[in-house]
Amino acid sequence: MKIGIVCYPTYGGSGVVATELGIEMAADGHEVHFISYSKPVRLNDGTANVFYHEVIVTVYPLFDYSPYELVLTSTLVRVAKEVGLDLLHVHYAIPHASAAYMAKSILASEGITLPIVCTLHGTDITLVGKDASFEPVISFAINNSDAVTAVSASLKSDTLQFFRVNTEIEVIPNFINLERYENPKSTGLRKSIAPNGEHVIVHVSNFRKVKRVQDVLSIFDGIRKEKEAKLVLVGDGPELYGIEQSCKEMGLIEDVHFLGRQKEVEPLLMEGDLFILPSTTESFGLAALEAMAAGMPVISTNGGGFPEVNEHGFSGFLSDVGDVEEMSSNALVILNDLETYRANAKIQAAKFDIQVILPRYTDLYDSLLTLV
Ligand code: GMT
């Protein structure tokens, strides 16, 4: 099968899921063509059966806003014809789903059929997409995709609530490749930051408001009242500077380590004891799943798709948004019985192994191709 994948190339979860899916499909013998404005961060050069096509937007002084969606559409049409794509899978509705619809229509006018799969990831529905300035286009693009998937039941329900959807949405959860967590290279992180057996607490995000990184600091502060611990913050984003300031004001700065963006997170996660993700909402919380795969139990909030990923009292604990006291005391429960929760986290992660989830996508692709 020749599969086109459109995604954001950055560190966000939707781009990660799209890239990992493409890599697995390629490993299964399919030809996979990534189409984006920059090479996806988790895509390594020289991966067999994988190709990358860049969307190059020329900047004209006439335009205040460069028309990315139009250039993406033209690139999709060109790539589909040049390589003979069998189907196109777009990740994140804005603007990928509408660009795909337009490309499909152009191709249809030339007698070429290109089925479209659209995967909804989260903020394209819960934050950005439902804005009135996007809603009619998103509703239309969802309804006119040949198949629509959502990464959690919660996201499916949000989509049905916010958009005028009259098409079936299939829930296919995000996944991880557990093999990657089997033989980790040591980064030496634990040895260097926690040489006296301190607990290593980890948070990974894009440091946007929705991640509530300030709560991570408060929870860490609560943990430190009872246990020696270090906090590792991975990623960067708009809130990072303020978080650094807060660390200083709260007297935490000596025990907080900022690692910035990391291309390969698995080896780092393997060095941690406990993961904290206190977001206002997460459609899924891929970072929490990756943490569990590395054997880290998770302290999270209880909104969105979290209850589908993190099992309360088993792989971690869920609390109301902002209830940092409860989250700190649950963190201590985990740290007092760490080996049990570590084992549970791995059991929970195994439910989302790529071997379990990949056939769901393959079946979906096959069902579309039999209709062509
Ligand atoms: O979390 C972000 O801000 C990035 C965003 C993205 O589109 O990359 O993540 C969303 O998609 C991920 C992959 O499906 C999910 O694991 C995240 O939970 C979701 N983020 C939110 O819903 C806030």
Side-chain angles (χ1 to χ4, degrees), residues 303-353:
F306 271 135
E308 296 168 58
V309 178
N310 184 18
E311 194 180 324
H312 186 70
F314 183 71
S315 55
F317 288 93
L318 298 96
S319 298
D320 289 341
V321 175
D323 192 346
V324 291
E325 268 110 60
E326 185 180 283
M327 289 190 246
S328 294
S329 69
N330 285 338
L332 290 166
V333 170
I334 290 175
L335 293 175
N336 284 327
D337 189 8
L338 189 54
E339 289 319 308
T340 304
Y341 284 100
R342 270 190 182 290
N344 292 351
K346 285 189 177 176
I347 293 169
Q348 180 68 0
K351 295 178 187 165
F352 300 90
D353 186 30

Side-chain angles (χ1 to χ4, degrees), residues 124-339:
D124 47 351
I125 298 300
T126 54
L127 290 181
V128 193
K130 69 179 183 186
D131 187 291
S133 54
F134 289 113
E135 187 279 323
V137 181
I138 301 304
S139 292
F140 179 83
I142 290 174
N143 288 331
N144 285 282
S145 296
D146 297 283
V148 182
T149 74
V151 298
S152 63
S154 149
L155 183 60
K156 174 176 176 174
S157 134
D158 284 343
T159 309
L160 296 174
Q161 186 187 340
F162 299 135
F163 296 89
R164 290 164 290 125
V165 172
N166 54 27
T167 191
E168 185 52 39
I169 299 177
E170 181 175 351
V171 175
I172 303 185
N174 286 334
F175 54 84
I176 21 101
N177 184 341
L178 281 178
E179 269 179 22
R180 299 250 186 94
Y181 296 84
E182 274 165 16
N183 297 305
K185 318 175 239 176
S186 170
T187 63
L189 178 74
R190 180 185 287 274
K191 214 164 154 195
S192 83
I193 68 167
N196 303 313
E198 296 93 335
H199 286 297
V200 176
I201 316 295
V202 182
H203 169 79
V204 180
S205 77
N206 54 16
F207 286 73
R208 294 186 188 278
K209 271 204 168 12
V210 68
K211 304 294 173 182
R212 293 183 68 99
V213 188
Q214 187 65 49
D215 285 1
V216 176
L217 300 186
S218 305
I219 298 161
F220 177 63
D221 201 25
I223 294 171
R224 278 199 347 150
K225 295 201 167 93
E226 304 260 331
K227 297 237 177 233
E228 295 285 324
K230 303 286 179 179
L231 176 63
V232 176
L233 297 175
V234 182
D236 75 9
E239 301 288 298
L240 184 61
Y241 178 74
I243 291 298
E244 258 186 274
Q245 296 308 309
S246 295
C247 284
K248 289 177 192 154
E249 284 157 25
M250 294 167 79
L252 300 174
I253 196 75
E254 296 296 316
D255 292 320
V256 181
H257 300 265
F258 293 86
L259 302 193
R261 290 183 189 187
Q262 298 286 327
K263 190 168 156 61
E264 220 187 337
V265 287
E266 295 93 344
L268 284 172
L269 294 176
M270 307 285 285
E271 308 254 5
D273 292 319
L274 174 71
F275 193 78
I276 303 181
L277 195 57
S279 315
T280 312
T281 183
E282 290 284 345
S283 65
F284 185 88
L286 182 66
L289 176 58
E290 292 184 321
M292 291 192 289
M296 262 195 287
V298 171
I299 291 292
S300 71
T301 42
N302 53 17
F306 271 135
E308 296 168 58
V309 178
N310 184 18
E311 194 180 324
H312 186 70
F314 183 71
S315 55
F317 288 93
L318 298 96
S319 298
D320 289 341
V321 175
D323 192 346
V324 291
E325 268 110 60
E326 185 180 283
M327 289 190 246
S328 294
S329 69
N330 285 338
L332 290 166
V333 170
I334 290 175
L335 293 175
N336 284 327
D337 189 8
L338 189 54
E339 289 319 308

Side-chain angles (χ1 to χ4, degrees), residues 73-125:
T73 304
S74 295
T75 309
L76 293 178
V77 171
R78 177 177 60 74
V79 173
K81 290 206 283 196
E82 275 174 11
V83 307
L85 288 183
D86 292 309
L87 69 79
L88 185 64
H89 189 165
V90 298
H91 292 259
Y92 207 89
I94 304 168
H96 302 155
S98 40
Y101 172 76
M102 182 77 162
K104 182 186 163 87
S105 308
I106 294 169
L107 289 163
S109 74
E110 299 177 28
I112 300 168
T113 305
L114 183 66
I116 309 289
V117 179
C118 172
T119 291
L120 308 173
H121 277 276
T123 48
D124 47 351
I125 298 300

